[in-house]
Amino acid sequence: MPQFLSTTDPDFEARFIALLGAKREDSPDVDHIVAEIIADVRARGDQAVIDLTSRFDRLDLTPDTLRFTPAEIAAECALVSDEDRAALELAAARIRAYHSRQMPDDASWTDDTGATLGWRWTPVSAAGLYVPGGLASYPSSVLMNAIPAKVAGVARLAIVVPTPDGVTNPLVLMAAQIAGVDEIYRIGGAQAIAALAYGTQTIPPVDKITGPGNAFVAAAKRRVFGKVGIDMIAGPSEILVIADRDNDPDWIALDLLSQAEHDESAQSLLITDDADFGRAVAAAVDARLQTLERRAIAGASWRDFGAIITVADMDEAVALSDRIAPEHLELCTADADALAGRITHAGAIFIGSWTPEAIGDYIGGPNHVLPTARSARFSSGLSVMDFIKRTTLSRMTPGALAAIGPSAERLAKSESLQAHGLSVRARLDRLNRGS
Amino acid sequence: MPQFLSTTDPDFEARFIALLGAKREDSPDVDHIVAEIIADVRARGDQAVIDLTSRFDRLDLTPDTLRFTPAEIAAECALVSDEDRAALELAAARIRAYHSRQMPDDASWTDDTGATLGWRWTPVSAAGLYVPGGLASYPSSVLMNAIPAKVAGVARLAIVVPTPDGVTNPLVLMAAQIAGVDEIYRIGGAQAIAALAYGTQTIPPVDKITGPGNAFVAAAKRRVFGKVGIDMIAGPSEILVIADRDNDPDWIALDLLSQAEHDESAQSLLITDDADFGRAVAAAVDARLQTLERRAIAGASWRDFGAIITVADMDEAVALSDRIAPEHLELCTADADALAGRITHAGAIFIGSWTPEAIGDYIGGPNHVLPTARSARFSSGLSVMDFIKRTTLSRMTPGALAAIGPSAERLAKSESLQAHGLSVRARLDRLNRGS
């Protein structure tokens, strides 16, 4: 059974804080092993990657077989059904259309001193995308990571995906093809992150690494951060549904379960202004749980971290939602559009009962890589912005320097940075001499 | 003497790689101490901060004196000369004008299936800014960090600034006032970062922490990352000047020295297509070094990490510059505008001989917090974007769900996520029943 809370409970605040602070994930401390793996790859390059792949993935590679050949990719893609291919292509087209609108504009203007100011956006030159192997090898994640990079203009996009015992997921290769990925390597774990960050004889280094992974991959990404850019380190998935009584309890139950089935540490929360509706959803969850293939996982998540919170009105719902800062927020209420406008902290909002969160996981268009663990208070989902960077531009004229240079000189003096001041003064003196 | 390199040297590539890879900073490993400090502040709150401030800053505080009062701030600001105040106000106005243009637009559109998609930007609710004490207590850094936060709409902006032995820098308080900072605390070190991240009885927690600091501050920021957002961990400052012979060697020398004087581990590089000009700049640096107050620091930086590189032409200069990915890039050449357009990786570009880099440190308008250590390959300087976050929005209609839902269902099946598929299917079934 999930927790039932009501804002009228005398101990509500304490229980709500406990719910917010619940430690849902115990990451094993693998930092020491990961440090050794990275050092090994830096020292021995390809051979280290090959040895580690043999040990962890039970797969014997050579420098020539680290990378999938075009023929191998084509052969795997031929195994994909036409229906699956069409679904991936529709998803890719919609994700591409959404992310294409994210490209920001360059800017340049001249101010009243005559100074020209502005900025210019440029893509990262090379990016690497980690794709987990085995059960969590999701083709949808390939699309969600690779398409923003390609829309941004990344010239070289490499994927690493482990193939334990040589088993490949054809849909992952197909998604990579559709997204325009340039290189695919059959390696994983910390050794794959190290190879992307530092390069080997066969694998050129990249500038930015994104994509989800296990504890080893997360620890390796933290370690190579600075040498390359990384995306966020994602925690377990979460959903908050805010629903009034005018909903089918079964729909809401399935939306809650679609997070719970990801992972035993996933969290599914419902806020409603009708306690009876909350109980009806709980019953619907129980009924659906009987029939789910992943009922062990979904059941544990719902039992340990699920909660149904009854509020007096939607004002309370909005305030609690912003404290939760959910990764996914589904609004199934009358006038859901207006409610969405009152939310400040959320990774993605799904508006209205016809927008199940699963649409956003696959095909809506927005990215499904979103801030977890309350980090929507200060961060955003993956986007084109993660694959571009901004160079600021300034151009002074003699007149602009004459107008603002003396103030720069004064501030440099106040910070005891003499050469800073002199670099301005030398130019002002030339102007004053009129030459 | 700095290094002299030429692309025609037989060992150029090896020497250039050595220059790129030079380890300029040895950060002491203070992680263990910092972990203890953070744990102490989490456990004991104000009292831990007070005890640590007494120990490290030789300053005895109480919960009532942790924060500067309005009267104390006014008294300190009264010590600032009218000229300094005017310079800070001009700088603030220009920084505000530049950053105001960075605010991105929200978006919303309806696609051909009838789905409404878009996103909305919202500010971080509360931000904290670290300002170092002592010599590196720069009022310009207060403006550069605080103004983007306020332009972004951050409602609550707190500064922490240590005041060792009770010594305050009035210009820092004045800059904070001008920038619209809401709270100023006289604390520093890892204990200040912990207080901002976790809160104490007196200091409410924030969602994002920015600003430079020593090894303790940097280690503390790394540790609280995830609980709150942080900005980049900055390394030593760098400048690359690309200059042709039609420049005053003294101007270029002063520009190089204005980085070198920051720090013994700063790096100043010159690329020129005229070896004689390079030698003239080296001579001018030596002459200016005699007269600088900070000649010990600037001289060590120039001797250990400075370099003058002669290239055959500007094509070579552009290629080397992109490999360096400099924090600051000054272009003092004929047609510097066109040259700027050919650069891909740089934090900030200063175009033309009338734009000394020091203008950008203080008053140009663009931010002076910029990516160091080649990270301009994948990251950008501080901006309004660091204080806002994006929520993606989706709204399906029954028709949109009918159009794209079946593909989502298919992809969910291919990933063995049954509840995901069912959450779509339950709605499609309702449509098919026509009710």
Side-chain angles (χ1 to χ4, degrees), chain B residues 41 46 61 213 218 352 355:
Chain B
V41 172
D46 280 348
L61 298 174
T355 317

Side-chain angles (χ1 to χ4, degrees), chain B residues 12-69:
Chain B
F12 173 77
E13 183 64 20
R15 288 182 67 197
F16 183 72
I17 288 173
L19 194 70
L20 279 187
K23 187 165 169 54
R24 292 189 281 128
E25 198 179 35
D26 266 317
S27 292
D29 184 2
V30 297
D31 199 48
H32 186 69
I33 306 168
V34 164
E36 281 178 8
I37 290 173
I38 294 173
D40 192 22
V41 172
R42 291 184 69 176
R44 297 197 299 131
D46 280 348
Q47 196 53 51
V49 173
I50 287 167
D51 291 350
L52 290 159
T53 302
S54 173
R55 184 168 136 210
F56 291 122
D57 296 341
R58 300 160 303 281
L59 179 68
D60 291 319
L61 298 174
T62 67
D64 288 339
T65 57
L66 281 172
R67 181 172 166 184
F68 280 92
T69 64

Side-chain angles (χ1 to χ4, degrees), chain A residues 264-342:
Chain A
E264 292 184 4
S265 24
Q267 183 166 52
S268 302
L269 304 175
L270 170 65
I271 294 182
T272 180
D273 57 356
D274 185 314
D276 287 338
F277 177 76
R279 280 184 287 270
V281 170
V285 168
D286 288 342
R288 283 289 190 174
L289 262 176
Q290 312 292 325
T291 71
L292 285 188
E293 288 149 24
R294 296 168 75 105
R295 60 181 166 272
I297 292 170
S301 158
W302 180 240
R303 178 191 69 225
D304 294 340
F305 303 114
I308 295 176
I309 304 174
T310 305
V311 293
D313 53 35
M314 286 301 150
D315 292 344
E316 281 190 3
V318 166
L320 292 180
S321 180
D322 271 347
R323 290 177 68 188
I324 294 167
E327 181 192 11
H328 304 101
L329 173 60
E330 215 178 275
L331 301 178
C332 301
T333 63
D335 205 2
D337 281 307
L339 198 64
R342 295 168 59 197

